[in-house]
Amino acid sequence: MTVRQFKVWRGDAAGGQLNDYKVEVNEGEVVLDVIHRLQATQEPDLACRWNCKAGKCGSCSMEINGMPRLGCMTRMSTFEEDETITVTPLRTFPVIRDLVTDVSFNYQKAQEMPAFAPPADVAPGEYRMQQIDVERSQEFRKCIECFLCQNTCHVVRDHDENKPAFSGPRLFIRAAELDMHPLDARHDRKEIAQQSQGLGYCNITKCCTEVCPEHIKITDNAIIPMKERVVDRRYDPLVVFGRKILRR
Ligand code: SF4
Ligand code: F3S
Ligand code: FES
């Protein structure tokens, strides 16, 4: 057992500050263990969201020494013995209290997105997909909705004014997943991504990919293919010809 120095942000929507703490740390522990010990021994009303402690529920997202991370997957052994560890709430979303933020932005954006829409003449149970089509989008289904990618993206991180027009990387992988789905036949996901989700705001900095705890290649496998499909679509001679005919 060692005693380590922590700074933890405490406050609410009206404001707050970093408080200093000395907390016991045992071998093999993660940052979330230390937050729990802090609650048990010094700060019983410290607010922190968590559920699984196994990197699967996506609840314990926080910023640790300025990096967006899952508290339950960040081992204390990754820090130097004499390092002060600073824990703050996600910066992109409004604080409710202490380490808990209001992430409803992400649910609103998900709601704005048209749901999976198979052809009207195919009944549930009649859906058939080839394995290759399943595999193409399977990576995206690993998303645990921790919203670390959403929190990191510079388009909205310090720019609340961009939020109405930008759905963010988590929703771009959903758009790509549906666009690659052979049975999602009733929506033009490329057009929606470009016109309503703000795909054009993304300048492929890849910060979202760097913080994804599920190691989803958000930029390379979802965003860039979607951008390429939008461009193909716009400059496809047949599509351009079709648009001209329709305008007559
Ligand atoms: Fe979290 Fe990755 Fe899903 Fe983004 S894509 S919400 S970082 S799991
Ligand atoms: Fe943002 Fe990821 Fe694009 S961080 S700018 S959505 S590559
Ligand atoms: Fe579930 Fe950390 S507590 S991901």
Side-chain angles (χ1 to χ4, degrees), residues 55-62 69-70 90 93 101 103 106-107 143-151 170 211-214:
K56 285 296 158 214
C57 72
S59 306
C60 66
S61 298
M62 54 184 75
R69 309 184 73 141
L70 295 179
L90 297 180
F93 309 118
T101 53
V103 293
N106 304 288
Y107 300 118
C143 175
I144 57 170
E145 300 211 306
C146 63
F147 306 128
L148 290 179
C149 58
Q150 303 282 92
N151 173 64
R170 191 279 170 262
V211 298
C212 178
E214 285 296 315

Side-chain angles (χ1 to χ4, degrees), residues 9-17 89 94-100:
W9 195 89
R10 301 228 47 200
D12 55 26
Q17 71 290 318
V95 168
I96 298 175
R97 205 177 122 174
D98 302 334
L99 301 177
V100 177

Side-chain angles (χ1 to χ4, degrees), residues 9 64 76 86 113 121 128 177 193 204 217 235 244:
W9 195 89
I64 302 170
M76 286 301 300
T86 304
M113 192 169 181
D121 57 347
R128 293 287 179 271
E177 179 198 334
I204 52 174
K217 292 199 172 75
Y235 299 101
K244 279 190 180 156

Side-chain angles (χ1 to χ4, degrees), residues 92-241:
T92 302
F93 309 118
V95 168
I96 298 175
R97 205 177 122 174
D98 302 334
L99 301 177
V100 177
T101 53
D102 176 359
V103 293
S104 52
F105 162 80
N106 304 288
Y107 300 118
Q108 277 162 16
K109 293 295 173 184
Q111 257 181 346
E112 286 168 16
M113 192 169 181
F116 170 64
D121 57 347
V122 180
E126 289 176 6
Y127 302 164
R128 293 287 179 271
M129 277 174 79
Q130 293 192 23
Q131 188 58 25
I132 192 170
D133 289 324
V134 174
E135 282 163 10
R136 196 172 295 126
S137 58
Q138 214 160 28
E139 176 190 15
F140 307 140
R141 302 290 296 182
K142 291 193 301 177
C143 175
I144 57 170
E145 300 211 306
C146 63
F147 306 128
L148 290 179
C149 58
Q150 303 282 92
N151 173 64
T152 307
C153 180
H154 68 96
V155 175
V156 285
R157 186 163 169 88
D158 287 312
H159 296 281
D160 270 356
E161 70 279 11
N162 286 339
K163 284 182 178 169
F166 187 72
S167 296
R170 191 279 170 262
L171 276 305
F172 295 152
I173 67 171
R174 178 74 178 140
E177 179 198 334
L178 291 171
D179 198 54
M180 293 174 192
H181 197 303
L183 283 165
D184 184 64
R186 287 191 272 161
H187 296 292
D188 186 339
R189 301 290 171 184
K190 295 174 255 312
E191 209 55 25
I192 295 169
Q194 189 68 12
Q195 299 300 335
S196 313
Q197 294 187 294
L199 183 67
Y201 280 74
C202 164
N203 56 347
I204 52 174
T205 54
K206 298 197 179 186
C207 311
C208 50
T209 303
E210 275 173 35
V211 298
C212 178
E214 285 296 315
H215 308 292
I216 300 170
K217 292 199 172 75
I218 303 171
T219 325
D220 287 351
N221 291 352
I223 294 176
I224 292 175
M226 282 302 278
K227 280 178 174 283
E228 285 172 350
R229 287 166 180 223
V230 167
V231 172
D232 284 353
R233 172 77 204 272
R234 296 199 159 201
Y235 299 101
D236 180 334
L238 280 178
V239 173
V240 172
F241 182 65

